[in-house]
Amino acid sequence: MREQAPSEPVINYSASPGDEVKTTTCYMCACRCGIKVWLADGKIRYIQGNPAHPVNRGVLCAKGSAGIMQHYSPARLSKPLLRVGERGSGEFKEIEWEEALQLATSWLAPIRARNPDELAFFTGRDQSQALTGWWAQQFGTINYAAHGGFCSVNMAAGGLYTLGGSFWEFGEPDWEHTQYLMLWGVAEDHDSNPIKLGLGKLKGRGAKIVAVNPVRSGYGAIADEWIGIRPGTDGLFAFALIHELLRMDRIDLDYLVRYANAHWLVVRNPGGADDGLFARDIDGRVLCWDRDASTPPLSRSEGGGWEGVAFDLASGAAQAKSTPPQPSPSLREREGAEACADAIDISPAVVGEYTLSDGRIAVPVFQLLAERYLDPQYSPDAVSERCGIPADTIRRIARELAAAAFDSKLSLPIAWTDSWGREHSEMVGRPVAMHAMRGISAHSNGFHTCRALHVLQMLLGAVDAPGSFRYQPPFPKPIPPVNRPGKTRKDNGALDAAPLGFVHAPEDLLVDAEGQPRRIDHAYSWAYPLAAHGMLHTVIRNAWAGDPYRIDTLLMFMANMSWNSAMNTRETMQWLTDKDANGEYKIPRIIYSDAYASEMVAYADLVLPDTTYLERFDAISLLDRPISDADAVSDAIRHPVFDPATQLAQDGSARDVRGFQSVLLDLGARLGLPGMVHADGSPAYRDYADYIVRHERAPGVGLLAGWRGEDGTQSGKGAPNPEQLQRYIANGGFWHESIPEHARYYKMANRGYLEWAQRFGFVASTTPIVLQLYSETLQQFRLAAQGHGALQPPLQHRERVATYFDPLPLWYEPFEHDQTSRTTFPLNAVTQRPMFMYHAWGSQNAWLRQIATRNWLYLHPDTGAKYGLADEEWVEVASHHGTISVQAKFAANVQPDTVWSWNAIGKRKGAWKLAKDAPESNQGFLLNHLISDITPKGDYANADPVTGQAAWFDLRVNIRKVEAREASDPQFAPLPFAEANEQPLRYGADLRNRVHRSKTSA
């Protein structure tokens, strides 16, 4: 008997996805792609990428498409919650918004009247720091920070103190022209769609991609070459490449003098108060040594040696008298004289030692750089074993970089004028690009490693040249950026500046008269002076310990600090619940806002339920984390696709939620904060949407740059436009303005760009931004530690500051990688975020969970054999801090001395309203349980000593086989949130059937 073919649904491939479509901005990662949300019968039918959007150009990843399940998540909170049980028990009662806001106001008002610093306001991935930082400033607390201290401050500070810009989402490779791309420590969770689009372009034209990462996944899997480096040694690898480029004389001296401070003179006066500072004239202008420039020019591409090298800034040609392989140690008696380093009618020397007119000795920056990195300790043979990279590979990569940079002869026929008025008929390219992320940043030596990569770029002339790394507006900024952290309060109680900023000198630190920290997280103290993003990871320990003082209230937004955003997870949960001798919580009050029932919700005293990203307004602002690309400036909005009052909970009950930004403004008005109330005390803003439109940070400068002015005809600056949000909605939810073609490269010294940027308020003047091979800011801190200046660190910090505030990048072992640790704990352990999930909230998503519901400890098969393990056996993993028991799985895509896992998949039982038997809470786990929040010595936070960046990736472990078990260890008491319905998911079936019925009835 012939079998009947199975019934197949009738599919109309040309049917509209829904009844209507709304364009907005995705919130499933930090990429912030443009999306089209198709609706049918009042529900989401489909989410697709917006082809017109400049970020993703229609491309959308799994996370973005699964935004449907984020909006309909069973874990959504529905009402304000007031704790009724012990903190951490998850026992709450629902209350109304008015009661919640009155209660929060009653807690916060006495703090502001008494001492605003008793409020610690710390946020996670909120993407609205332009508001939250301003709110903290108006409240008057210095204790504000966001997620960056966990994630990226080494990258931001390393770049902003060197280039005036940085990697991450604030710069990008020149996807159209680069021929050689190095990805350093780049995972797939940030900026993923633009990177994927760019990599596709590179692969399509045969450019080489090199991935430097101990784990080969995602981008590394499609790279032409994978360099499985040992974690924490990237700086050594970079220095070895620099060593080779210097040794081969394959560097761009023209570029280094024209755009960087290679020729600036540095005073050599060991022990003196001016040692290591730039030599300046009576007016404070930096000096160089001007020499005769009448000899033949030095070739850009072939080099010509350094002894006697000068540079003719008028003609733009380097001059050389002879070509030995290294700089001469002393040239004090050579002819010439000191001159202003920014003059153009001179020929400044880049090597030698010179006697200034006041009798002091000075040398050019490049001389110091060459002395350091030509040292044999940085040779490929010297660093090979430590990095795990063959010396021949290092030498080959150096040759390939030089060949790509100098032998390509890339040039764009675009006329432009530099900052000094010189006209150029072309833009000379250096088609070598680099991109770096958390694998570089999340180490205790990450700041200097980031700087090392930037020095490597500069030696190749590969910063904002065609084919290289490119700035995205509003970058570049002056070095360092002009905004310093707020320190004092005005008469109205507000801080004199935003709580976060950039320290220029010891005078900018937030320390008291004895040099002790003023901030609860110790940011901007002598322990972590350049903590530009604050230190979210130290807040809870310090608040619990009352160090440096006791706070009253901890206000947090979207920061899952009791679980995957905690270093030292077990103790963090204890600190949140610990009581003093009087039975009072050591952290008296905790207010928390989130859209979902995360692990952290259980530790709040008051929970303020946030909306989903499809139920509110947001500003993706140039004052915050911009979405510009290298050729254009952009910003965007989110706007409500749904009224949250119409979006029911999973059980069919009504939800009463409010966007946290609007709640914050409501609280500010109730507290009478400056800028949030009118003279009569009435609220200045109706809600966050009203604030977005009408708030001005400076005259004409608001959160959004598009359609400004009363009639909407201005951009960048202009009076508030009452119809601005409607204009954004009508134009796809974003604003985009191209940079003039002649202004797109060499932005740091391109007159056309700087004039364009000044019009938008990105820079205050058209003065060129000089790239800093050598950082005088760092040297000022070193001199203070050596006993010079009015402000000096306390004795316990002096050696630390003197060691790590080196004005040239240096490398040192990560603090958890000393010889003892390497012997006892021989393996590195790192986490990566998967491309298909982003932080904890992605791994509770019903569709994304179908990709992975648990994680494994991945290790190389050779490592497994060494420890007597078979695939999928259980292991105990131990660090100096703790142990976990998990299931191991073999994977050859990892450096053999490293084990790794996906981050944030492991969940606490009961959290996120997952079923009690959910794999995430049984087989899933966190490496966080092994990571201490302090160093093995217990003297400082487990963080970079310059910036305070959390050193997640310094973790060292050992492993041993254990008996199989039912669940990973440790396990904690389940949280009593209601479980989700675990029946098979059939979302959209009714919508599909509706389309099918419509077609058949027709």
Side-chain angles (χ1 to χ4, degrees):
M1 181 177 176
R2 185 176 179 181
E3 293 186 6
Q4 185 175 354
S7 175
E8 295 288 344
V10 177
I11 300 175
N12 179 1
Y13 292 101
S14 299
S16 171
D19 302 326
E20 62 174 321
V21 61
K22 297 187 178 183
T23 53
T24 186
T25 303
C26 187
Y27 200 0
M28 295 298 288
C29 78
C31 201
R32 294 157 295 165
C33 295
I35 54 174
K36 290 185 172 183
V37 182
W38 288 90
L39 306 177
D41 292 345
K43 294 182 179 180
I44 307 175
R45 181 68 180 92
Y46 182 59
I47 296 179
Q48 70 177 136
N50 181 0
H53 200 279
V55 168
N56 58 316
R57 305 184 191 282
V59 173
L60 199 63
C61 67
K63 299 188 297 292
S65 298
I68 297 175
M69 290 295 100
Q70 208 71 10
H71 176 70
Y72 292 120
S73 169
R76 288 172 297 165
L77 298 173
S78 295
K79 292 272 290 186
L81 301 173
L82 180 64
R83 178 176 60 81
V84 294
E86 290 293 308
R87 189 184 287 170
S89 68
E91 297 175 19
F92 296 96
K93 69 173 182 179
E94 292 186 347
I95 60 175
E96 300 303 320
W97 271 103
E98 185 57 30
E99 180 182 354
L101 293 170
Q102 287 183 6
L103 183 60
T105 303
S106 72
W107 292 354
L108 296 176
I111 297 173
R112 189 165 198 272
R114 182 175 66 240
N115 177 10
D117 294 341
E118 291 182 18
L119 170 66
F121 180 22
F122 285 71
T123 73
R125 299 257 43 128
D126 63 289
Q127 298 186 11
S128 56
Q129 292 162 32
L131 168 68
T132 55
W134 177 77
W135 192 96
Q137 179 183 353
Q138 303 312 102
F139 188 90
T141 180
I142 59 174
N143 291 316
Y144 165 83
H147 182 78
F150 264 166
C151 200
S152 62
V153 70
N154 272 335
M155 197 66 66
L160 288 168
Y161 280 87
T162 308
L163 304 180
S166 71
F167 295 124
W168 222 269
E169 293 125 29
F170 313 124
E172 64 180 325
D174 187 348
W175 301 113
E176 300 298 330
H177 301 105
T178 192
Q179 290 300 322
Y180 199 102
L181 173 65
M182 290 192 77
L183 297 171
W184 297 77
V186 177
E188 291 79 42
D189 59 317
H190 275 78
D191 208 32
S192 60
N193 287 331
I195 291 178
K196 286 182 285 190
L197 285 165
L199 292 176
K201 292 180 180 179
L202 266 59
K203 298 292 283 187
R205 66 167 187 272
K208 182 169 183 178
I209 302 170
V210 178
V212 183
N213 199 316
V215 179
R216 186 174 196 177
S217 63
Y219 309 142
I222 66 164
D224 299 283
E225 183 171 359
W226 170 51
I227 296 178
I229 196 169
R230 288 193 174 99
T233 66
D234 304 81
L236 267 185
F237 179 31
F239 289 149
L241 295 173
I242 290 171
H243 177 97
E244 282 296 287
L245 292 173
L246 292 170
R247 186 189 63 80
M248 296 185 299
D249 195 10
R250 294 280 269 168
I251 60 174
D252 193 338
L253 275 174
D254 290 17
Y255 185 99
L256 293 175
V257 175
R258 185 178 294 167
Y259 304 119
N261 63 353
H263 58 300
W264 290 14
L265 288 176
V266 178
V267 175
R268 265 190 173 166
N269 182 21
D274 59 352
D275 182 48
L277 299 180
F278 294 130
R280 287 180 165 83
D281 66 12
I282 193 171
D283 296 318
R285 294 176 296 183
V286 178
L287 299 174
C288 67
W289 193 261
D290 183 15
R291 300 188 57 223
D292 177 24
S294 60
T295 50
L298 178 73
S299 167
R300 272 178 190 252
S301 61
E302 298 178 1
W306 302 333
E307 199 278 330
V309 170
F311 187 89
D312 182 355
L313 273 172
S315 66
Q319 310 291 322
K321 291 190 174 180
S322 58
T323 58
Q326 60 215 14
S328 172
S330 178
L331 298 172
R332 294 190 193 182
E333 307 306 321
R334 295 302 177 93
E335 60 187 10
E338 58 204 56
C340 290
D342 60 354
I344 64 171
D345 54 347
I346 57 173
S347 298
V350 294
V351 296
E353 190 174 81
Y354 301 95
T355 303
L356 301 176
S357 59
D358 60 9
R360 293 182 299 168
I361 304 302
V363 297
V365 163
F366 186 80
Q367 171 83 34
L368 298 175
L369 184 145
E371 288 174 355
R372 172 165 294 184
Y373 303 122
L374 279 173
D375 189 296
Q377 69 173 308
Y378 295 122
S379 71
D381 292 304
V383 309
S384 173
E385 182 177 355
R386 184 71 193 89
C387 295
I389 305 171
D392 286 345
T393 298
I394 298 173
R395 282 187 279 265
R396 174 177 54 79
I397 295 294
R399 291 194 302 270
E400 291 176 357
L401 288 170
F406 304 126
D407 298 345
S408 67
K409 308 302 181 186
L410 173 66
S411 176
L412 302 183
I414 301 171
W416 65 289
T417 303
D418 66 28
S419 294
W420 301 274
R422 294 174 298 198
E423 296 183 354
H424 305 263
S425 62
E426 61 179 351
M427 292 180 167
V428 177
R430 294 286 180 258
V432 171
M434 297 184 187
H435 194 64
M437 278 180 47
R438 193 180 301 105
I440 302 301
S441 189
H443 289 286
S444 54
N445 61 12
F447 173 79
H448 279 289
T449 296
C450 293
R451 291 204 70 220
L453 297 186
H454 296 319
V455 169
L456 176 59
Q457 292 172 286
M458 284 188 276
L459 290 178
L460 293 165
V463 175
D464 219 51
S468 70
F469 165 85
R470 301 182 67 192
Y471 298 109
Q472 296 173 339
F475 301 102
K477 296 285 190 179
I479 303 173
V482 296
N483 52 306
R484 294 168 168 85
K487 297 180 67 173
T488 61
R489 280 186 278 271
K490 298 184 286 188
D491 291 342
N492 64 6
L495 281 179
D496 57 347
L500 300 181
F502 297 89
V503 167
H504 290 223
E507 291 75 19
D508 297 327
L509 293 178
L510 271 73
V511 293
D512 63 18
E514 287 72 44
Q516 299 306 312
R518 286 183 53 201
R519 284 177 53 113
I520 193 67
D521 59 356
H522 295 192
Y524 305 116
S525 72
W526 286 107
Y528 322 97
L530 305 189
H533 289 172
M535 298 174 63
L536 178 62
H537 47 295
T538 65
V539 170
I540 292 176
R541 173 191 278 273
N542 293 350
W544 164 80
D547 180 13
Y549 45 76
R550 184 180 173 91
I551 67 166
D552 180 281
T553 298
L554 177 61
L555 171 60
M556 305 191 82
F557 175 45
M558 287 186 66
N560 199 20
M561 297 304 300
S562 68
W563 197 247
N564 65 286
S565 288
M567 305 165 76
N568 193 352
T569 310
R570 185 191 296 272
E571 285 191 71
T572 298
M573 291 188 280
Q574 176 186 327
W575 298 329
L576 291 167
T577 57
D578 204 12
K579 297 181 178 180
D580 61 21
N582 298 320
E584 302 293 329
Y585 287 113
K586 289 190 174 182
I587 303 176
R589 296 185 179 94
I590 299 175
I591 304 173
Y592 185 61
S593 180
D594 205 323
Y596 305 101
S598 69
E599 286 86 354
M600 185 62 205
V601 167
Y603 293 89
D605 303 308
L606 177 64
V607 179
L608 306 175
D610 191 22
T611 62
T612 74
Y613 73 102
L614 297 178
E615 297 173 325
R616 67 161 178 259
F617 277 100
D618 272 330
I620 294 86
S621 173
L622 288 164
L623 302 180
D624 201 337
R625 300 183 67 180
I627 56 168
S628 304
D629 58 74
D631 292 329
V633 60
S634 303
D635 63 16
I637 66 166
R638 296 186 185 93
H639 63 98
V641 174
F642 299 104
D643 177 351
T646 67
Q647 303 300 293
L648 303 180
Q650 187 187 35
D651 63 3
S653 62
R655 293 166 58 241
D656 187 9
V657 299
R658 299 182 184 180
F660 177 70
Q661 295 86 348
S662 292
V663 170
L664 204 58
L665 289 166
D666 190 339
L667 283 173
R670 291 168 185 256
L671 293 165
L673 298 186
M676 299 185 213
V677 289
H678 295 299
D680 63 359
S682 61
Y685 301 106
R686 181 184 65 254
D687 53 20
Y688 186 42
D690 190 35
Y691 172 88
I692 291 172
V693 172
R694 294 198 297 110
H695 175 74
E696 291 182 275
R697 194 58 51 91
V701 177
L703 266 70
L704 296 173
W707 296 287
R708 299 197 66 82
E710 294 182 2
D711 58 358
T713 60
Q714 296 173 262
S715 59
K717 293 182 179 180
N721 170 18
E723 300 299 317
Q724 187 181 40
L725 291 178
Q726 285 68 39
R727 295 293 294 273
Y728 271 82
I729 292 170
N731 284 274
F734 66 92
W735 166 80
H736 184 74
E737 183 169 312
S738 296
I739 302 171
E741 186 182 44
H742 65 85
R744 293 181 182 177
Y745 292 95
Y746 299 106
K747 296 183 181 76
M748 63 283 189
N750 184 320
R751 177 177 290 178
Y753 174 78
L754 292 170
E755 290 175 347
W756 181 88
Q758 187 181 34
R759 177 172 69 85
F760 281 96
F762 301 156
V763 294
S765 74
T766 58
T767 302
I769 296 165
V770 181
L771 310 184
Q772 302 291 297
L773 292 161
Y774 179 101
S775 173
E776 188 179 57
T777 296
L778 298 181
Q779 181 63 14
Q780 290 182 64
F781 280 90
R782 172 172 277 185
L783 288 172
Q786 293 170 347
H788 300 292
L791 291 179
Q792 299 171 18
L795 291 176
Q796 72 265 31
H797 298 310
R798 293 201 175 201
E799 182 180 359
R800 174 181 169 97
V801 174
T803 299
Y804 300 115
F805 275 73
D806 197 306
L808 287 172
L810 75 157
W811 186 85
Y812 50 89
E813 287 279 4
F815 296 153
E816 202 171 324
H817 290 200
D818 59 31
Q819 188 58 49
T820 300
S821 294
R822 293 210 307 271
T823 301
T824 307
F825 304 104
L827 299 172
N828 300 286
V830 298
T831 60
Q832 294 206 156
R833 292 209 177 98
M835 187 180 290
F836 50 86
M837 288 179 183
Y838 186 70
H839 289 267
W841 74 74
S843 50
Q844 55 97 14
N845 184 291
W847 286 354
L848 299 178
R849 290 181 66 210
Q850 296 181 48
I851 302 174
T853 57
R854 54 82 51 94
N855 54 333
W856 307 75
L857 185 75
Y858 293 105
L859 65 160
H860 196 281
D862 294 347
T863 307
K866 179 179 179 180
Y867 286 88
L869 296 170
D871 194 24
E872 299 191 9
E873 288 193 312
W874 285 77
V875 295
E876 180 186 84
V877 190
S879 70
H880 77 88
H881 175 69
T883 62
I884 60 176
S885 295
V886 301
Q887 202 168 2
K889 193 167 185 62
F890 291 170
N893 66 335
V894 60
Q895 192 269 337
D897 295 330
T898 301
V899 298
W900 71 282
S901 186
W902 294 124
N903 184 43
I905 290 179
K907 296 283 188 287
R908 183 171 172 179
K909 286 184 182 297
W912 304 95
K913 296 188 179 180
L914 297 180
K916 65 179 183 300
D917 296 324
E920 289 88 346
S921 57
N922 283 292
Q923 288 77 37
F925 63 90
L926 294 177
L927 283 181
N928 304 52
H929 299 309
L930 302 175
I931 303 173
S932 174
D933 66 302
I934 56 176
T935 63
K937 293 181 180 179
D939 50 355
Y940 289 95
N942 183 10
D944 190 287
V946 179
T947 67
Q949 157 90 53
W952 294 88
F953 287 173
D954 284 0
L955 180 63
R956 302 282 299 192
V957 301
N958 61 37
I959 60 175
R960 69 179 183 90
K961 180 179 175 181
V962 295
E963 293 297 320
R965 53 200 64 195
E966 293 297 321
S968 60
D969 183 71
Q971 292 285 331
F972 301 91
L975 297 174
F977 298 132
E979 292 183 44
N981 185 341
E982 284 291 292
Q983 294 179 353
L985 186 66
R986 293 290 183 266
Y987 178 81
D990 57 334
L991 298 174
R992 184 182 65 200
N993 292 337
R994 186 197 72 154
V995 173
H996 176 60
R997 288 193 302 271
S998 174
K999 180 176 178 63
T1000 55
S1001 63

